[in-house]
Every structure is written in structure tokens, then in C-alpha cells.
Amino acid sequence: MKFRFIIVLLLAASLFFSGCAENNQNRENNTQPAEKVVIGTKLFQESYITAHMVSLLLEEQGYDTEVKENLGGTLVNYEALKKGDIQSYIEYTGTIYSQILKKPPLEEWDPEVVYEESEKGMLESDGVVIASSLGFEDAYAIAVDREWAENQGVNTISDLEPYASEMSVGTDPEFATREDGLPQLARVYGFSFKNYNSMAPGIMYEAMENNEVDAISAYTTDTRNDLYGLKVLEDDKHALPPYDAVVLVTESFAEDNPEAMEALSQLNGRIDQDTMRRLNGEYDIEGRSAKDIARDYLIEEGLISS
């Protein structure tokens, strides 16, 4: 009996230390797979739609997912990603370059350079990687009333110089103060607007319709530019950087979830600007839910079954 008791103790000890070693190894390598994949979003329709695409692709691979719509702006989502509060969100290369990595403007913006510097900088600084590049650019732009622009002969941002000192601009919560936003326009074009009003993107367009502002910081893939009768002005001095849409995850998530990375790679180059504008229109004009829009698109593309 004593011999059997000793054997049992030895086996128990072996299992205990083996478990400890395995747990320590997992902690050291951070290789535990995600129990739930949480995808964050910014404060506008495109962010919701693309986040649901990520969610549905991962669910097709058996992942449990959650989309947190309206999580916040750039830094809120990025910090949440680094902390592990979310596992993914969609960002834009120009924003990564200028706002997250704080790199100085290039003399001449090159989308490939911005992409490569963003990819390299995030990995080295924060262990964040690009899971896929969606294929479209959603750039910032200045938009004004189309009828007013036609009457005044305004087609470019440079053309605003005689009027800017009397113009009020509606901007999203970031564009007014971020270095690649209004400050950059002022540096490059040499003039500033009378004032700005920071507001949610949806309110921004309504403010334009109600004549509460004279211009807004629009998005080039936003169908509301047409819906509200706006003219997007040409950035003739190329003040604003390229904003290619990319899916971000942490390096540890990528290493622990190869199936997820393979699923997300299917989005590489999949969505062009016209397609994204159409999908945004389904949300803004037709009133469809972001999840339904994402699901129908993925089914149409043969990326999910239902």
C-alpha cells in the first residue's frame, strides 16, 4: 500500500509540474488562442461595415466574435488593440503614419512609402501588424456646397483662399487638430479658416445642410457627399497623405491564430473605392444595417456561405 501511495504522489507531482511548465511556456510565448475576437470601430459607417466583414470571416472559421461599434477615434482603438481589449480594427495608412507613429510629412506623398513605413513602424514600436490591405483609399477632403462652388468657380482647395477667413468648417473629432488635418492644410496652402466646429461625422453633414457651417472635412468614399449636394475639392497641393484601409491585429494574435490570418488575407485588394462607396450608400441612403451589408457582400464574393 505504501508503495502504491508513493507512486500516486509521484504521478500527481509530475502532472502538477508539467502543468506549471506548460502554463509558464504559454505565458512566455503568449500562445493562448483568443477565446473571443473583439473588433473595434471608429465613429462612421465604413468602419462598421468593414469591421463586420472581419467578424463574419472569422465566424466562418469557427471564432466567436463581437463588433464594438463606435468604440472611439484612432488612439482609443489603437490603445485598446495594444492592451488586448480588442483584437482587431480597421485603420488607414496616413493616420498610422502621422498620428500613431508621429512621422513628419513627406515632401511628396507616396502611398507605397507611407504603407511600408507604417507597417515597419507599428511592428517595431508596438508589435502590431497588418493582416490585410482592403484595396481602397478613404482620404480626407474638404467639401463645400456644390451650387456655391459652381457660382464662385471653386474647384480646388487653393480656390478657397479668398473666402477662407470668413468660412466656418465642420470637422470630425480628429481632423481639426491632428497634424495631417487642418494644421497641415494651413501650412501647405498658407491660409486658415475663420473657425471650426468639431462634431460626429453624421452631424457634420447635417450641419452643412442646415447652413451652420460653410465646409466640412469629408471622406472621399462617403456617398453623403452626393446625398447632401456637396462638391469635394481637389487637394491641388497634395497636402493630405494617402489613407489606404488596412486591417490591424497584434503580432501575438497573428502567431496564435494562423486560421484567422488566412481568413483575413482573403480581403487583400478585394474592395475598390467605388465598391466601398456603394456599400456606404446602402447604409446612409437605404438604411441597411452594417452587418447585413457586410454579410451580403461576402456572400456575393463567395467568401462566406451564409
Side-chain angles (χ1 to χ4, degrees):
M1 288 292 292
K2 183 183 290 186
F3 179 74
R4 289 181 180 176
F5 180 70
I6 292 172
I7 292 296
V8 170
L9 284 177
L10 288 173
L11 286 171
S14 175
L15 289 170
F16 174 78
F17 287 112
S18 174
C20 288
E22 183 179 353
N23 288 336
N24 287 335
Q25 188 68 30
N26 282 340
R27 281 193 294 269
E28 289 172 8
N29 296 334
N30 195 24
T31 58
Q32 294 183 2
E35 294 181 3
K36 175 182 278 191
V37 180
V38 182
I39 302 106
T41 85
K42 295 190 178 185
L43 308 174
F44 53 97
Q45 82 290 59
E46 182 172 290
S47 190
Y48 314 150
I49 295 167
T50 51
H52 279 291
M53 288 184 188
V54 169
S55 170
L56 291 165
L57 279 172
L58 295 183
E59 286 182 358
E60 187 82 354
Q61 297 299 316
Y63 286 86
D64 182 20
T65 73
E66 176 187 357
V67 174
K68 288 194 172 182
E69 293 188 6
N70 293 312
L71 181 62
T74 296
L75 297 182
V76 170
N77 277 278
Y78 195 73
E79 288 302 314
L81 181 68
K82 290 196 298 181
K83 292 176 182 177
D85 295 334
I86 64 175
Q87 282 65 55
S88 182
Y89 84 100
I90 284 75
E91 191 51 272
Y92 301 87
T93 53
T95 300
I96 296 167
Y97 183 93
S98 64
Q99 295 304 292
I100 294 174
L101 300 178
K102 305 295 184 184
K103 288 183 173 290
L106 299 174
E107 287 188 13
E108 185 174 337
W109 290 110
D110 183 330
E112 290 186 11
V113 172
V114 173
Y115 182 96
E116 290 168 2
E117 288 294 316
S118 297
E119 185 176 44
K120 177 183 175 183
M122 287 189 300
L123 178 60
E124 292 179 349
S125 301
D126 302 312
V128 172
V129 300
I130 294 174
S132 59
S133 180
L134 300 181
F136 69 90
E137 179 191 19
D138 184 5
Y140 271 117
I142 297 298
V144 296
D145 179 75
R146 183 181 293 116
E147 184 177 350
W148 177 86
E150 290 173 356
N151 290 338
Q152 305 302 324
V154 170
N155 297 295
T156 69
I157 295 178
S158 288
D159 291 338
L160 288 178
E161 185 171 6
Y163 313 100
S165 63
E166 297 300 320
M167 294 180 73
S168 176
V169 181
T171 76
D172 68 18
E174 297 182 9
F175 187 76
T177 56
R178 52 190 277 176
E179 284 301 304
D180 62 337
L182 285 184
Q184 173 72 353
L185 289 179
R187 281 193 296 272
V188 173
Y189 285 94
F191 62 80
S192 298
F193 296 100
K194 179 181 179 180
N195 56 46
Y196 69 85
N197 295 298
S198 178
M199 57 192 76
I203 303 299
M204 186 172 67
Y205 282 90
E206 292 177 8
M208 191 72 192
E209 184 179 43
N210 295 330
N211 297 315
E212 296 169 5
V213 295
D214 305 300
I216 61 168
S217 59
Y219 312 114
T220 55
T221 59
D222 203 319
T223 51
R224 287 175 294 187
N225 297 325
D226 296 325
L227 185 64
Y228 285 85
L230 304 183
K231 180 179 180 64
V232 175
L233 302 181
E234 178 190 349
D235 179 14
D236 53 306
K237 293 188 177 180
H238 308 290
L240 302 175
Y243 297 93
D244 293 310
V246 292
V247 181
L248 300 186
V249 298
T250 61
E251 184 180 20
S252 59
F253 177 87
E255 291 172 350
D256 297 345
N257 297 277
E259 298 88 355
M261 295 300 288
E262 184 176 351
L264 295 179
S265 72
Q266 297 177 92
L267 290 175
N268 265 319
R270 178 73 65 163
I271 310 168
D272 61 24
Q273 195 169 52
D274 288 341
T275 299
M276 195 66 244
R277 190 179 292 113
R278 172 175 64 82
L279 298 178
N280 288 340
E282 291 182 22
Y283 184 94
D284 293 323
I285 300 171
E286 299 175 24
R288 302 187 66 212
S289 75
K291 187 172 184 178
D292 286 345
I293 295 167
R295 178 185 288 110
D296 287 351
Y297 176 75
L298 293 177
I299 292 173
E300 176 186 311
E301 291 292 304
L303 298 180
I304 62 173
S305 56
S306 62

